[in-house]
Amino acid sequence: MLVNACETMRRAGVAAQCVAKGAMQSTPSRSPVAGGFLLTTSILVGAVAGAVRGQATAGLLVGLAVGLTLAIAIWLIDRARG
């Protein structure tokens, strides 16, 4: 059974008011957007496309650059909305 410190204190009658730090905070009304999927996908697609052309490492690096660009763009857009 998991009990936080405020609940334990309330049961013991020690504290009338208790504000939990972290675990009991309300959830944000808007979920953040994640760009990890685009980063992973672009790296894999770049590596496969590079391997088909005989340059797997170059394809991987191009995929990494494209994925990082997309992930940073998504992060900046999400940050501007929040």
Side-chain angles (χ1 to χ4, degrees), residues 34-36 38-39 42 63-77:
L38 291 175
L39 178 61
S42 64
L64 177 64
V66 169
L68 282 175
T69 302
L70 292 173
I72 290 171
I74 288 173
W75 175 68
L76 289 172
I77 291 168

Side-chain angles (χ1 to χ4, degrees), residues 36-49:
F37 173 76
L38 291 175
L39 178 61
T40 303
T41 304
S42 64
I43 291 171
L44 292 174
V45 168
V48 170

Side-chain angles (χ1 to χ4, degrees), residues 20-53:
K21 298 175 185 172
M24 301 301 288
Q25 292 179 350
S26 64
T27 58
S29 60
R30 189 181 62 79
S31 297
V33 179
F37 173 76
L38 291 175
L39 178 61
T40 303
T41 304
S42 64
I43 291 171
L44 292 174
V45 168
V48 170
V52 168
R53 296 178 185 225

Side-chain angles (χ1 to χ4, degrees), residues 1-37:
M1 179 161 113
L2 180 65
V3 179
N4 64 20
C6 291
E7 182 64 21
T8 303
M9 292 173 65
R10 184 190 64 77
R11 286 184 183 177
V14 176
Q17 286 184 331
C18 185
V19 177
K21 298 175 185 172
M24 301 301 288
Q25 292 179 350
S26 64
T27 58
S29 60
R30 189 181 62 79
S31 297
V33 179
F37 173 76

